[in-house]
Amino acid sequence: MINEGRGVERILDVVYVPSHFAMDDAAVRDLLTQHGAADLVTATADGLLATMLPFVFEPDAGEHGALLGHVARNNDQWRREAVGEALVIVRGPDAYVSPGWYASKAEHGRVVPTWNYITAHVHGELVVHDDPVWVEGLVRRLTAKHEASLPHPWAVDDAPAPFVAGQLRAIVGVELLITRIEAKAKLSQNRPEADVAGVVAGLEARGDRATADAVRTANGDR
């Protein structure tokens, strides 16, 4: 993968990704930047641990970028040393796809249900930041990211400073320094054009505009 300046560089060498489901650099970067929350998974001496939390993508950290987040201080995952690399599972839109939406169902009936989805398995070294200054900077970035689209965005400084300080002491920062990414967008690219149109229509009729738009975009060059 070409590295445009500094930022995400992907190595697809483990997960099963047929070529028609592969994601390009721009799509991977967009997923890491725009996702809501993701699963942090670590292998420890006591077994697997996982926590769902929001991340900020920092393309200029390390060699391939980093995902920055925080966990509750009472969450033991940050205290348990990871064995090997950590994993963050990032997801985009996903949805059940009914074979009844396919035009080919009426033609030959050789169709089955499936699931459409966008996901990236982000591997890297997990670094813990038990540092209130680092954590405050992260919290401000997360807040700005998720409040930006609201008509009256809330800001950290809207809360009393002593209250904010107490909340910051209750969390610990985590940073995944990315070493490789396995990304996949399975969005009906292997179906005939008429079937794709049926999937988009079916998703929109069900009110799932996010997945419908993703399917439309993934198949836009046909």
Side-chain angles (χ1 to χ4, degrees):
M1 172 173 285
I2 298 172
N3 195 0
E4 299 177 357
R6 296 173 63 85
V8 61
E9 181 173 342
R10 180 179 46 140
I11 302 172
L12 292 176
D13 60 354
V14 178
V15 76
Y16 170 61
V17 183
S19 59
H20 45 271
F21 296 149
M23 297 174 67
D24 62 21
D25 293 23
V28 173
R29 184 176 287 105
D30 183 66
L31 176 61
L32 297 185
T33 301
Q34 302 297 332
H35 80 280
D39 295 310
L40 170 64
V41 183
T42 53
T44 75
D46 299 316
L48 292 174
L49 297 175
T51 301
M52 186 176 187
L53 62 152
F55 285 96
V56 169
F57 175 52
E58 175 49 73
D60 293 330
E63 186 177 357
H64 306 305
L67 292 173
L68 317 178
H70 64 78
V71 298
R73 183 171 295 278
N74 290 336
N75 183 338
D76 277 347
Q77 187 171 11
W78 71 273
R79 301 179 188 273
R80 306 284 184 89
E81 184 176 356
V83 178
E85 291 187 328
L87 170 69
V88 172
I89 302 174
V90 180
R91 299 178 184 85
D94 72 283
Y96 172 77
V97 175
S98 170
W101 296 342
Y102 293 151
S104 54
K105 174 181 179 293
E107 297 172 8
H108 51 67
R110 297 189 299 274
V111 292
V112 294
T114 191
W115 205 276
N116 277 358
Y117 58 88
I118 299 174
T119 189
H121 292 181
V122 186
H123 301 253
E125 176 191 358
L126 187 66
V127 179
V128 173
H129 294 277
D130 191 3
D131 174 359
V133 174
W134 192 96
V135 172
E136 180 179 356
L138 168 68
V139 168
R140 289 181 180 277
R141 290 182 65 179
L142 279 169
T143 301
K145 172 185 175 181
H146 295 290
E147 291 282 335
S149 62
L150 301 180
H152 304 289
W154 180 86
V156 172
D157 292 330
D158 290 345
F163 173 77
V164 171
Q167 295 297 300
L168 292 174
R169 288 193 295 270
I171 58 179
V172 176
V174 291
E175 177 179 15
L176 186 83
L177 292 170
I178 299 171
T179 57
R180 59 191 171 95
I181 302 173
E182 302 154 358
K184 183 176 182 179
K186 179 182 176 295
L187 296 167
S188 301
Q189 299 98 315
N190 59 331
R191 303 301 308 180
E193 186 174 351
D195 285 0
V196 172
V199 170
V200 171
L203 290 168
E204 289 183 335
R206 200 170 64 191
D208 190 349
R209 182 164 296 277
T211 309
D213 288 346
V215 172
R216 187 183 290 110
T217 298
N219 292 276
D221 293 334
R222 290 192 175 193

